[in-house]
Amino acid sequence: TQLLEQSPQFLSIQEGENLTVYCNSSSVFSSLQWYRQEPGEGPVLLVTVVTGGEVKKLKRLTFQFGDARKDSSLHITAAQPGDTGLYLCAETSGSRLTFGEGTQLTVNP
Amino acid sequence: DTEVTQTPKHLVMGMTNKKSLKCEQHMGHRAMYWYKQKAKKPPELMFVYSYEKLSINESVPSRFSPECPNSSLLNLHLHALQPEDSALYLCASSHAGLEETQYFGPGTRLLVL
């Protein structure tokens, strides 16, 4: 099982600011998923990236997969309080889904 | 219907109690999962069922007993739990097969006294 490192661990910003969170691995990802989890809820899948260098956009969220498929980033533009939550990257290996430690994002109004 | 439902939402139990957590999905998924999540930590896989058969047990103590009565239902039977078992228990489902997207339920918040 490879180790997924996420940074920063905690992030508190004001509404309207931009931010980037990172997910890094010691080895190559087969595919990488980003989830957001709100308090008292289960994780919700945001995106899956598969191809090295891939960029996917989801409204104000931009996801990048590194060329070497060992790292990924999530950039949020003009953050809103509704973006508050735990952002988790995860890798699938067969039936197993292995999560990183997560970035806890708080967007203050 | 893309929803995974879990009941109860909250559960408080003593160390001598027996209780069950329930999970249901109607997406035609044939793989179902139990995860345990402690506060401020990521979910950790406990069990995987594929086509109603247990395929992965991540060395979970026997006080947790999973059951898959049919392709839509997944139970987790709890007996003689310890206070350190207090956590959010998440159920997920996916199409059977490798690296399929997992859809999570809202979880059951368990407190063991």
Side-chain angles (χ1 to χ4, degrees):
Chain A
T1 303
Q2 66 178 334
L3 183 65
L4 302 183
E5 295 184 350
Q6 289 191 244
S7 61
Q9 189 176 359
F10 298 97
L11 188 57
S12 181
I13 62 171
Q14 294 300 121
E15 183 175 1
E17 292 183 5
N18 301 331
L19 67 113
T20 303
V21 298
Y22 301 92
C23 176
N24 295 286
S25 170
S26 55
S27 54
V28 174
F29 292 110
S30 54
S31 66
L32 184 77
Q33 299 178 333
W34 282 96
Y35 289 81
R36 178 172 66 216
Q37 184 177 20
E38 298 182 19
E41 299 293 331
V44 175
L45 180 67
L46 297 174
V47 76
T48 300
V49 287
V50 177
T51 306
E54 185 174 5
V55 176
K56 285 192 174 180
K57 289 182 184 278
L58 185 66
K59 297 184 181 177
R60 293 176 295 100
L61 278 59
T62 302
F63 303 85
Q64 285 193 299
F65 201 18
D67 290 340
R69 292 163 56 213
K70 295 178 69 174
D71 60 275
S72 181
S73 64
L74 160 58
H75 181 79
I76 302 179
T77 304
Q80 300 176 359
D83 296 326
T84 292
L86 179 66
Y87 288 80
L88 296 157
C89 66
E91 195 213 15
T92 55
S93 177
S95 298
R96 285 185 172 82
L97 189 62
T98 303
F99 289 92
E101 290 291 307
T103 293
Q104 181 63 54
L105 172 65
T106 303
V107 182
N108 302 298
Chain B
D1 183 1
T2 58
E3 191 177 17
V4 177
T5 59
Q6 291 187 244
T7 57
K9 193 165 180 61
H10 301 276
L11 179 62
V12 180
M13 61 186 290
M15 289 188 286
T16 59
N17 291 158
K18 283 186 182 181
K19 296 287 185 183
S20 296
L21 309 185
K22 296 186 183 300
C23 174
E24 188 168 5
Q25 57 86 17
H26 295 288
M27 294 179 277
H29 291 168
R30 302 307 297 272
M32 297 186 77
Y33 311 79
W34 281 115
Y35 289 83
K36 174 182 178 180
Q37 186 176 24
K38 302 285 276 186
K40 302 190 188 306
K41 290 293 186 182
E44 294 180 345
L45 183 65
M46 299 174 72
F47 302 105
V48 179
Y49 273 83
S50 180
Y51 292 94
E52 294 103 73
K53 293 192 187 309
L54 183 65
S55 59
I56 295 176
N57 176 345
E58 294 286 72
S59 302
V60 179
S62 60
R63 58 186 184 269
F64 295 91
S65 176
E67 178 196 18
C68 191
N70 61 56
S71 60
S72 299
L73 294 174
L74 185 66
N75 298 322
L76 186 62
H77 302 297
L78 314 173
H79 174 54
L81 294 194
Q82 303 297 310
E84 58 264 29
D85 296 322
S86 299
L88 181 68
Y89 287 85
L90 293 162
C91 173
S93 71
S94 72
H95 291 293
L98 299 180
E99 302 183 8
E100 294 286 347
T101 298
Q102 294 185 24
Y103 295 86
F104 285 82
T108 292
R109 177 74 60 188
L110 174 67
L111 177 62
V112 182
L113 300 176

